[in-house]
Amino acid sequence: MACRVISISRSMGAGGEEIGRLVARELGFRYADEEIIVKAAERAGVSAETVAKVEQAPSMIERILESIGRTPPDPEGWSGAALAASTDRSVYEGLIERVIRQTAGEGDAVIVAHGASVPLAGTEGVLRLLVTASPEVRAKRVAERTSLGEAAAKKAVAASDRERKEYLRRFYGVGREQPTHYDLVVNTDALSPALAAQLVVAAARA
C-alpha cells in the first residue's frame, strides 16, 4: 500500500470525522482524532498538570498510544468539543501534536486533527487530506446534529474557523491556508461521506 497514514484536516461541520472513520474501516487502520487522544491521555493517567512532563517521560506517550486503541470513536461522528475551546484542551494541544507525530511514525492510522497535516508534511507514506464545505452547509449540519439553533450554529462555525486559522498561524506559522498544503481537497457540499471516503481510499491505494 502506497500510504500508511491518512492525515485529515477538516472544517467544523464538513464531515471529516465520519469520513475518517469510514476510511479507517476500509483500510483496516487505527482511527485517532483529537478527542480520542485527550480521552486516552486521561485514561492513561496523564492529567493537564502532567502534560508538561510528557517529553521527559516517554512512557506516558506509550500509555496514551495504548489507550487510543481502547477508546472508541464517537458513534455519531461528532466532536462536541469543537463547539467551544476549553482551558484543558488548550493545555493538551502540544501533547496532541506529539502523539500525532508518534502515531504517524507507527503507521496504519487515520489521524483526524485540524493541524495534523502541517507537521506531517514531507513525511513518507502520508496522504494529507482537507475536508471542507461552504459555511452555510456546515452551519446547517451543526444545527441538525446539536441543540443549537440556526443562528447559534452559524456563529459556532464562524468561531471555529477563526480558531482554526489562529491555531495554524500560532503553532505552525501558516499565515494563509492553501490547497497546496494538502494532497487532496474534498468539498462535501455535494459529496456524501461514503463517496468522499471512496476517493480517499482510492488515493491511498494508488
Side-chain angles (χ1 to χ4, degrees):
M1 184 178 296
C3 293
R4 296 187 61 231
V5 176
I6 313 296
S7 171
I8 301 179
S9 299
R10 81 287 190 214
S11 302
M12 181 184 189
E17 296 87 353
E18 184 175 359
I19 293 169
R21 292 198 331 276
L22 291 171
V23 170
R25 185 181 306 135
E26 178 65 23
L27 295 176
F29 283 6
R30 292 173 297 156
Y31 173 92
D33 63 17
E34 293 163 346
E35 278 304 288
I36 284 180
I37 293 172
V38 171
K39 290 177 182 176
E42 293 170 347
R43 288 181 59 172
V46 182
S47 66
E49 290 73 23
T50 62
V51 165
K53 302 177 183 178
V54 170
E55 287 183 334
Q56 288 75 39
S59 63
M60 288 187 180
I61 290 288
E62 295 300 327
R63 282 156 48 198
I64 292 169
L65 293 173
E66 291 174 3
S67 186
I68 284 175
R70 303 192 301 272
T71 307
D74 182 349
E76 297 298 323
W78 185 254
S79 176
L83 297 176
S86 70
T87 301
D88 286 345
R89 283 191 59 80
S90 66
V91 172
Y92 277 111
E93 292 290 3
L95 173 63
I96 288 171
E97 181 182 341
R98 291 194 289 275
V99 175
I100 283 171
R101 289 180 183 276
Q102 187 153 338
T103 300
E106 294 183 356
D108 294 346
V110 172
I111 303 171
V112 181
H114 55 262
S117 292
V118 179
L120 295 181
T123 303
E124 185 176 355
V126 174
L127 177 68
R128 297 174 301 152
L129 169 69
L130 173 64
V131 179
T132 188
S134 64
E136 295 78 15
V137 169
R138 292 188 287 125
K140 182 178 179 181
R141 290 173 182 163
V142 171
E144 291 173 348
R145 298 188 182 191
T146 69
S147 59
L148 294 177
E150 183 177 345
K154 288 181 179 180
K155 290 182 179 179
V157 166
S160 176
D161 288 351
R162 289 193 300 270
E163 291 165 3
R164 184 171 181 277
K165 181 178 180 180
E166 174 59 20
Y167 179 88
L168 291 174
R169 184 198 64 77
R170 186 173 71 253
F171 280 89
Y172 301 117
V174 176
R176 184 174 183 180
E177 190 175 25
Q178 301 286 348
T180 50
H181 288 134
Y182 304 94
D183 304 306
L184 180 64
V185 178
V186 175
N187 182 340
T188 61
D189 274 357
L191 295 179
S192 68
L195 180 54
Q198 289 177 23
L199 293 174
V200 178
V201 169
R205 288 174 170 167

